[in-house]
Amino acid sequence: ITRIACDAIGIMAVISDLNTLTHPLRNPVLTIGNFDGVHRGHLALFDKVKDRAQKIGGQSALITFDPHPIKVIKPGNGPRLITLTEQKLELIEHAHIDVVFCIPFTKEFAAISARDFVEEILVNKIGVREIVVGYDYTFGHNREGNIDFLRKAGEEFGFEVHVLEPVYVGDKLVSSTRIRHLVQDGHLSEARELLGRDYQISGTVVSGKDRGGRLLGFPTANIELIDELVPKQGVYAVHVRVDHQTLAGVTNIGFNPTFGKGPFSVETHVLDFQGGLLGKRISIQFIERLRDERPFGSIKDLADQITRDIQKARKVFETTSKSLDKDLPS
């Protein structure tokens, strides 16, 4: 995975090199984690951080890592990320955290002991006053740091530790692992409940075989993915973000089996759209799964099914729009 320049993201303050921090923050209240997905559990942590920072006249702050630590510690065994670093930082920005430390995670960084991490980075560099962590938080070399360790360190170095209990939506525990499974199984509405937003993937529109427009009458944008976690094969009603617009669409994920098993692709037909998308970066937000991908006996049969998919998707968008209107304050 190509590392992005964290400092290029439009957040109020993003620091990727701790050596550039010339003095401690102002009464910082801090949380630490990978925050993959920036889901409702993470947002609860952020809310607590902001609340405590406001109460002590301090700055809200967050430490996260790029790449995901497991990708460094156990190469090839890391999870498929729900949010790559760029989107993760954008979502954290929307949560209104004052300062984000986006620390490059290396083998050298992984070797830092829990005590050195607390003393040298959290206390001496950042000047932490309070820390907010989740109920299962661990850190440091070989995960030797846990909540008990953190509380003892807080007594020694003079910072307060707040531990948040697990967050549930109904009877469902909010976790990145659960969301990952829901997306992979095509349960996008359930994933939305835990994320607090629609799951999305992004990529650049590249040239395909042009079967959508030429043979079927439904031109499609074939995207070269940058994301790792792709929903289950099938057809979905989606919103397409391009050039600061949000458009309705239908996305097929799979191998186009009607034409013989081809390469894996993600293709989107944007409804009521005439412009060109080739070369553009687009994001696809998944609203609802419409059906499995399957082979059809003829091109006409497939075209007829696509027509039905579009009709079904329009009904989904109509229902979604009414639901959103109902939720808006009068």
Side-chain angles (χ1 to χ4, degrees):
I1 298 168
T2 302
R3 175 168 305 162
I4 67 164
C6 295
D7 301 305
I9 306 301
I11 301 180
M12 185 180 295
V14 178
I15 298 168
S16 56
D17 183 354
L18 287 165
N19 293 322
T20 63
L21 191 66
T22 56
H23 54 82
L25 301 184
R26 186 187 75 252
N27 293 338
V29 179
L30 179 74
T31 187
I32 311 163
N34 297 308
F35 305 118
D36 184 28
V38 192
H39 53 58
R40 285 183 161 172
H42 299 142
L43 295 177
L45 284 171
F46 301 167
D47 285 345
K48 180 71 172 180
V49 166
K50 291 183 291 184
D51 178 63
R52 290 303 309 159
Q54 186 177 32
K55 280 184 167 60
I56 67 170
Q59 291 174 285
S60 59
L62 176 157
I63 292 178
T64 192
F65 308 99
D66 176 38
H68 192 292
I70 293 179
K71 292 180 181 289
V72 175
I73 297 165
K74 297 179 180 178
N77 293 322
R80 292 184 178 183
L81 296 179
I82 301 166
T83 45
L84 299 185
T85 301
E86 182 177 357
Q87 188 197 6
K88 178 168 72 172
L89 292 178
E90 287 170 357
L91 292 166
I92 293 169
E93 178 185 16
H94 293 155
H96 305 296
I97 295 292
D98 293 327
V99 181
V100 174
F101 296 93
C102 181
I103 297 176
F105 196 88
T106 61
K107 288 183 178 179
E108 291 74 24
F109 189 87
I112 297 174
S113 70
R115 181 177 177 84
D116 285 348
F117 178 74
V118 170
E119 184 173 5
E120 295 176 14
I121 295 176
L122 302 189
V123 176
N124 295 341
K125 279 278 185 189
I126 297 173
V128 65
R129 285 287 306 278
E130 300 186 16
I131 293 178
V132 180
V133 293
Y135 65 99
D136 57 352
Y137 181 67
T138 59
F139 66 102
H141 183 60
N142 292 330
R143 296 189 170 187
E144 62 192 6
N146 55 26
I147 289 168
D148 285 341
F149 175 93
L150 206 52
R151 282 181 167 140
K152 288 172 184 171
E155 291 173 6
E156 180 180 351
F157 294 109
F159 59 82
E160 193 173 344
V161 178
H162 306 274
V163 180
L164 259 61
E165 293 304 309
V167 173
Y168 288 86
V169 174
D171 60 351
K172 298 169 188 169
L173 173 68
V174 180
S175 76
S176 299
T177 300
R178 180 186 283 267
I179 291 167
R180 212 170 277 123
H181 288 316
L182 289 171
V183 171
Q184 289 173 320
D185 292 341
H187 300 310
L188 279 304
S189 59
E190 292 178 51
R192 181 191 304 121
E193 290 179 359
L194 306 190
L195 281 168
R197 66 180 188 284
D198 294 313
Y199 180 68
Q200 79 167 43
I201 58 175
S202 299
T204 303
V205 179
V206 296
S207 296
K209 295 185 180 295
D210 192 30
R211 288 188 293 229
R214 180 170 49 87
L215 296 179
L216 298 167
F218 300 100
T220 59
N222 187 43
I223 71 167
E224 186 172 63
L225 289 171
I226 61 169
D227 286 271
E228 301 177 355
L229 182 66
V230 181
K232 183 180 179 179
Q233 293 173 38
V235 179
Y236 295 84
V238 301
H239 285 152
V240 182
R241 288 282 299 159
V242 57
D243 294 339
H244 306 292
Q245 298 180 80
T246 300
L247 307 167
V250 174
T251 292
N252 183 85
I253 297 176
F255 297 92
N256 296 301
T258 299
F259 299 95
K261 188 166 181 177
F264 179 81
S265 66
V266 178
E267 298 181 63
T268 300
H269 173 65
V270 184
L271 307 187
D272 311 316
F273 179 75
Q274 301 298 323
L277 294 174
L278 190 64
K280 289 184 181 290
R281 167 83 172 269
I282 68 173
S283 295
I284 298 169
Q285 299 168 341
F286 292 88
I287 310 302
E288 188 172 305
R289 193 169 194 271
L290 302 178
R291 63 174 176 88
D292 289 337
E293 184 186 50
R294 62 183 180 86
F296 290 85
S298 69
I299 290 173
K300 182 182 183 305
D301 289 345
L302 175 54
D304 289 345
Q305 179 60 57
I306 293 172
T307 299
R308 292 191 291 273
D309 293 338
I310 291 171
Q311 291 169 345
K312 189 174 180 181
R314 289 191 190 279
K315 289 179 181 176
V316 169
F317 299 134
E318 188 179 333
T319 303
T320 305
S321 176
K322 285 179 181 175
S323 174
L324 289 173
D325 289 344
K326 191 170 65 176
D327 291 339
L328 290 173
S330 56

